[in-house]
Amino acid sequence: ETGVTQSPTHLIKTRGQQVTLRCSSQSGHNTVSWYQQALGQGPQFIFQYYREEENGRGNFPPRFSGLQFPNYSSELNVNALELDDSALYLCASSLATSSYGYTFGSGTRLTVV
Amino acid sequence: QKEVEQDPGPLSVPEGAIVSLNCTYSNSAFQYFMWYRQYSRKGPELLMYTYSSGNKEDGRFTAQVDKSSKYISLFIRDSQPSDSATYLCAMISNFGNEKLTFGTGTRLTIIP
């Protein structure tokens, strides 16, 4: 049984650019959530996808968008990058829309310069 | 005021000591309480899960929830250097709200 895998592990972008982060959910899981973890802070909920539809969104602007594919993998897209977007982006998968069953990936460390 | 407050530490204790980690919260709708452990450069790993008030024990770890005081705790007995990590409390309200609300995390170091 594979866990949650995220790619890339690290990347550096310039302010104003766009970035796409990818996540493969744990086998058998059909729900994916994305969290942003700034340095020294707890993860903040960005949004969740269930059966390819957005199923809840946190307090993030529309330039944060996502997709879920039929195989339950997911993408997080961020447009017009700002310096404050520098953070660890975590993907978590679960079997249903119940939060306590989340399995987190190791994250993508995004640095915006 | 944040919904969940957690002392960020850092906290350093000698090997073998009992560690106490705590969080307070303001949202009385929270019903499910979790503790995650996060090693450096890794994602959070679920350590303990508790529903409503009460205690739960798993090996060297004990989670306590006091909903009347809006206070949760994690105790680690016989602490080991491998317990050195950041510990995050997290909570959610009733089913239908799938957002996990995290504390800021407490950075713990166990000194051999």
Side-chain angles (χ1 to χ4, degrees):
Chain A
E1 177 180 290
T2 59
V4 176
T5 57
Q6 293 187 240
S7 63
T9 54
H10 300 84
L11 75 165
I12 300 173
K13 288 287 188 177
T14 303
R15 188 172 50 183
Q17 285 188 315
Q18 178 268 343
V19 69
T20 297
L21 310 182
R22 295 179 174 81
C23 171
S24 294
S25 60
Q26 182 170 313
S27 177
H29 286 184
N30 58 9
T31 301
V32 173
S33 299
W34 287 90
Y35 288 78
Q36 180 196 65
Q37 187 176 22
L39 195 62
Q41 300 296 317
Q44 299 292 314
F45 176 71
I46 302 175
F47 43 57
Q48 182 184 83
Y49 278 83
Y50 173 61
R51 293 185 175 178
E52 302 177 55
E53 296 287 332
E54 188 176 289
N55 183 46
R57 188 179 182 91
N59 189 27
F60 280 81
R63 59 190 185 83
F64 285 78
S65 63
L67 285 172
Q68 187 181 31
F69 300 99
N71 66 355
Y72 305 125
S73 65
S74 178
E75 285 182 356
L76 165 65
N77 299 290
V78 187
N79 294 322
L81 283 166
E82 301 177 359
L83 297 179
D84 284 349
D85 295 333
S86 296
L88 180 67
Y89 287 85
L90 295 163
C91 170
S93 73
S94 61
L95 179 57
T97 55
S98 54
S99 297
Y100 59 85
Y102 279 175
T103 301
F104 281 85
S106 292
T108 294
R109 173 75 60 188
L110 172 65
T111 302
V112 182
V113 297
Chain B
Q1 182 187 6
K2 293 182 179 180
E3 279 191 290
V4 179
E5 298 281 355
Q6 182 177 10
D7 186 342
L11 179 63
S12 296
V13 301
E15 183 176 355
I18 296 175
V19 176
S20 173
L21 303 168
N22 312 292
C23 288
T24 59
Y25 62 95
S26 58
N27 187 347
S28 58
F30 287 139
Q31 296 281 347
Y32 302 87
F33 304 92
M34 286 138 281
W35 286 95
Y36 284 83
R37 178 174 61 195
Q38 186 174 24
Y39 290 114
S40 180
R41 306 182 192 282
K42 296 290 187 182
E45 168 194 16
L46 182 63
L47 202 56
M48 298 286 287
Y49 159 74
T50 309
Y51 170 68
S52 194
S53 288
N55 295 353
K56 186 172 183 178
E57 187 174 323
D58 184 2
R60 297 184 295 110
F61 299 89
T62 299
Q64 287 186 351
V65 175
D66 182 349
K67 290 191 66 182
S68 63
S69 301
K70 296 187 177 66
Y71 188 88
I72 70 171
S73 300
L74 176 71
F75 297 95
I76 307 174
R77 293 183 299 280
D78 187 25
S79 55
Q80 304 294 312
S82 59
D83 296 328
S84 298
T86 295
Y87 289 80
L88 296 153
C89 63
M91 42 200 83
I92 56 171
S93 61
N94 294 319
F95 279 113
N97 182 336
E98 291 80 20
K99 181 186 78 170
L100 277 171
T101 301
F102 284 88
T104 55
T106 299
R107 188 172 177 181
L108 173 67
T109 301
I110 307 299
I111 304 167

